[in-house]
């Protein structure tokens, strides 16, 4: 995972070709994440069913490279057009 702004970015399946339904599988996963976040109380002592964990999801598919940058404070990051598109999605 990487961070863009205040968002966590995840990448998956670096080693295999994606199936033709990969976008649909990602969308179903995102919907399940939203449901789980909505049902998770932020305050265990005062659970309010109308509130949950706020979550924003954006999906983009494409090639990326995972690299380590820096010498003193080494950071893992994703590079490539798909990562650039994700950054633009997060900033708009």
């Amino acid at each position: 995972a990487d961070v863009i702004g205040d968002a966590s970015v995840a990448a998956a399946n670096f080693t295999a070709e994606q199936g033709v339904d990969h976008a649909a599988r990602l969308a179903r996963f995102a919907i399940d994440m939203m449901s789980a976040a909505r049902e998770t109380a932020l305050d265990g002592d005062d659970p309010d069913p109308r509130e949950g964990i706020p979550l924003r999801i954006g999906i983009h598919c494409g090639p990326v490279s995972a690299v380590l940058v820096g010498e003193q404070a080494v950071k893992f990051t994703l590079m490539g057009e798909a990562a650039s598109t994700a950054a633009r999605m997060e900033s708009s």
Side-chain angles (χ1 to χ4, degrees):
D2 197 358
V3 175
I4 298 174
D6 67 344
S8 295
V9 178
N13 202 0
F14 284 101
T15 60
E17 286 294 319
Q18 296 295 321
V20 295
D21 67 336
H22 72 279
R25 287 185 290 125
L26 281 170
R28 285 192 300 271
F29 179 69
I31 291 167
D32 289 346
M33 285 176 49
M34 294 295 287
S35 293
R38 238 186 341 267
E39 295 168 5
T40 302
L42 287 173
D43 184 352
D45 294 331
D46 185 22
D48 184 343
R50 295 169 296 163
E51 294 191 25
I53 298 173
L55 192 61
R56 298 183 326 262
I57 296 176
I59 298 172
H60 182 69
C61 299
V64 295
S65 296
V67 297
L68 295 174
V69 294
E71 291 181 17
Q72 299 280 333
V74 177
K75 179 183 182 270
F76 170 85
T77 192
L78 299 171
M79 299 181 92
E81 185 56 34
S84 297
T85 300
R88 287 191 300 274
M89 289 170 63
E90 167 58 19
S91 66
S92 61

